[in-house]
Amino acid sequence: MALEPQARPEAPATDGLEGLSALLDGECGPADAAAFARRWRQDVQVQQHWDTYHLIGDSLRSEDLCRHVGQDRFMSTLRERLAAEPVVLAPAPLSTRRALRARWMRPVSAAAGVVAVAGSVWLLPVRQGGPVASVASSGTHSAPIAALAPGNGGDKRARTGGDWNRYLAAHQQFPAAAAVVPVSGYLRPADHDTADH
Amino acid sequence: MSAEADVLLIERAKSGEVAAFEMLVVKYRRRIERLIGRIVRDVDLVEDVAQETFIRAYRALPQFRGDSAFYTWLYRIAVNTAKKTVSDLARDPVLTESALSQRSEDDETSRVDQELTDGETPEAVLASREIARTVNAAMEALPDDLRQAIALRELEGLSYDEIAIVMNCPIGTVRSRIFRAREAIAAKLRPLLDTQQGRRW
């Protein structure tokens, strides 16, 4: 393995390796990591220092790891095998993908919420004009039904259907029963207009 | 051990830079081989199983999501690879050189290498002790500020920020002290390593 020609021959032997020491500790930026990864194959000094720094750390932490392993044969075999493998190309770095997803999901979720609320608000007046909504929102259940009677200013669609109007007029005496359907034993139909009749 | 350093190198390896993966191999090889040695218990197979472990890890790298630390993920691959090797050997036994040497005719006398749990040779054990002695002596010979900085980093696992607070100095000084400490120990260690292995790379 040939040494990469030094850019500055007069520089000390450890020139630039402080960054390698920081990389070992995870205390450098991606640019430094990229720079050392690029130097790795050509620069035997980087390889030796990287190995020795790790041996020092391992030796300080555990007696079991005070073991010098010859890297040359192992690495040359591994390189041959890695060269035969397809190149690893993950679609995108994990952190970038997560950051992108988080960046898009928040405004999209907020927009979906706004659209849902806006849709409800937009639909509400339309439904309030209809017969069923007016039953629920009015103080007396019989009034809107009565408004549907011919000549009483009711819904145009209702007024145009003569059969429909006749049907509603015939059933005015059951407004509350028609509007409130008991769903359990705790609910009872109550007609507020009973006292008026 | 630093997970942050792994993340930087894993991202490079995932983008197709094999050299970054090789840096991870050098970092973890000792620990992976120790782990494999405890399962396989045949020194001749340890290196092959380690190779297979790293190849499998390289293949699976795109699936590594970072949910656990890289070394945890790598250890799991190593354990599975070693267990598979053991079960394959149980089905189709192969006598390795070291296995044969342990069954030689003069078995009645107690041989040192048979007493070693992972089949290391006496020479390897001696070399390991020499490395430990050299590292410890080099640590003792360091100036106080350098020794304290590298001890806080390597033994206590503190970040540079935390060491700066403990030592009441700028982060740049911490970085410089740790580097100088490593270089001072490496200078003592290098002749020993070159003697043990000849050319290391």
Side-chain angles (χ1 to χ4, degrees):
Chain A
M1 219 172 297
L3 269 171
E4 190 181 49
Q6 296 294 320
R8 289 186 301 157
E10 72 282 6
T14 55
D15 184 41
L17 293 175
E18 189 174 318
L20 188 70
S21 167
L23 173 62
L24 186 145
D25 297 326
E27 299 275 359
C28 70
D32 287 333
F36 282 111
R38 277 195 299 272
R39 280 176 68 180
W40 176 258
R41 282 278 176 96
Q42 289 78 35
D43 196 338
V44 76
Q45 194 188 25
V46 170
Q47 295 168 2
Q48 287 185 342
H49 279 77
W50 181 255
D51 185 29
T52 308
Y53 291 167
H54 279 109
L55 174 62
I56 292 167
D58 286 344
S59 301
L60 287 172
R61 281 188 292 271
S62 168
E63 284 186 10
D64 287 354
L65 295 171
C66 294
R67 197 165 60 87
H68 174 51
V69 288
Q71 300 285 12
D72 46 2
R73 192 170 63 87
F74 185 90
M75 286 306 290
S76 61
T77 311
L78 188 72
R79 275 177 192 166
E80 282 172 20
R81 293 187 67 184
L82 288 175
E85 295 289 324
V87 174
V88 168
L89 276 178
L94 280 178
S95 55
T96 312
R97 288 181 65 192
R98 281 182 184 155
L100 277 174
R101 191 165 56 191
R103 197 185 302 160
W104 282 102
M105 284 301 283
R106 283 190 206 110
V108 166
S109 307
V114 169
V115 166
V117 171
S120 307
V121 170
W122 183 70
L123 285 173
L124 198 59
V126 177
R127 301 197 77 186
Q128 275 177 339
V132 177
S134 57
V135 167
S137 61
S138 64
T140 57
H141 296 306
S142 59
I145 304 297
L148 293 173
N152 215 10
D155 186 78
K156 283 185 179 178
R157 283 175 299 175
R159 273 188 277 128
T160 52
D163 291 345
W164 179 238
N165 285 340
R166 277 197 301 278
Y167 174 84
L168 288 174
H171 291 81
Q172 280 189 55
Q173 64 267 36
F174 308 114
V180 182
V181 180
V183 294
S184 74
Y186 298 103
L187 288 178
R188 289 176 298 162
D191 190 347
H192 299 288
D193 293 339
T194 307
D196 300 337
H197 288 297
Chain B
M1 203 182 306
S2 171
E4 292 80 10
D6 291 351
V7 170
L8 291 169
L9 293 172
I10 290 163
E11 294 300 341
R12 308 275 340 150
K14 278 186 164 184
S15 63
E17 201 156 5
V18 184
F21 184 74
E22 288 180 14
M23 294 177 84
L24 290 166
V25 170
V26 172
K27 174 175 182 174
Y28 286 113
R29 186 182 156 198
R30 255 180 293 273
R31 273 170 271 182
I32 289 296
E33 288 191 351
R34 178 181 62 171
L35 177 70
I36 291 168
R38 287 171 179 165
I39 299 169
V40 175
R41 306 181 78 84
D42 184 339
V43 72
D44 286 343
L45 288 173
V46 168
E47 207 169 289
D48 291 343
V49 178
Q51 285 261 350
E52 189 59 31
T53 297
F54 286 119
I55 292 291
R56 285 184 182 198
Y58 183 74
R59 286 177 189 150
L61 207 54
Q63 281 89 52
F64 176 68
R65 298 187 304 274
D67 296 336
S68 61
F70 178 71
Y71 69 88
T72 311
W73 180 78
L74 190 61
Y75 277 23
R76 204 157 44 231
I77 294 174
V79 168
N80 290 339
T81 310
K83 282 181 176 173
K84 185 178 182 305
T85 304
V86 170
S87 71
D88 287 350
L89 279 174
R91 278 199 302 272
D92 184 17
V94 175
L95 287 179
T96 61
E97 197 175 329
S98 65
L100 279 172
S101 70
Q102 286 179 6
R103 294 176 185 186
S104 60
E105 56 281 358
D106 54 351
D107 268 350
E108 287 180 4
T109 53
S110 173
R111 289 174 42 161
V112 180
D113 58 343
Q114 286 175 336
E115 292 167 3
L116 303 173
T117 53
D118 52 3
E120 282 190 324
T121 62
E123 293 79 14
V125 173
L126 207 62
S128 295
R129 286 180 187 157
E130 191 65 24
I131 288 172
R133 197 162 39 239
T134 305
V135 170
N136 287 332
M139 273 288 278
E140 289 302 313
L142 286 175
D144 283 348
D145 52 351
L146 301 194
R147 186 171 60 246
Q148 192 184 355
I150 196 165
L152 289 172
R153 174 63 216 158
E154 295 286 15
L155 300 175
E156 305 299 329
L158 299 190
S159 68
Y160 285 10
D161 278 334
E162 292 165 329
I163 296 170
I165 292 167
V166 171
M167 298 187 73
N168 195 25
C169 64
I171 289 178
T173 307
V174 171
R175 177 181 153 125
S176 166
R177 283 176 181 172
I178 290 174
F179 169 64
R180 281 157 53 208
R182 282 185 175 135
E183 275 302 309
I185 300 171
K188 301 268 177 64
L189 208 49
R190 213 161 282 135
L192 183 66
L193 301 181
D194 291 341
T195 309
Q196 284 184 7
Q197 192 67 33
R199 191 161 178 271
R200 294 160 58 202
W201 287 86

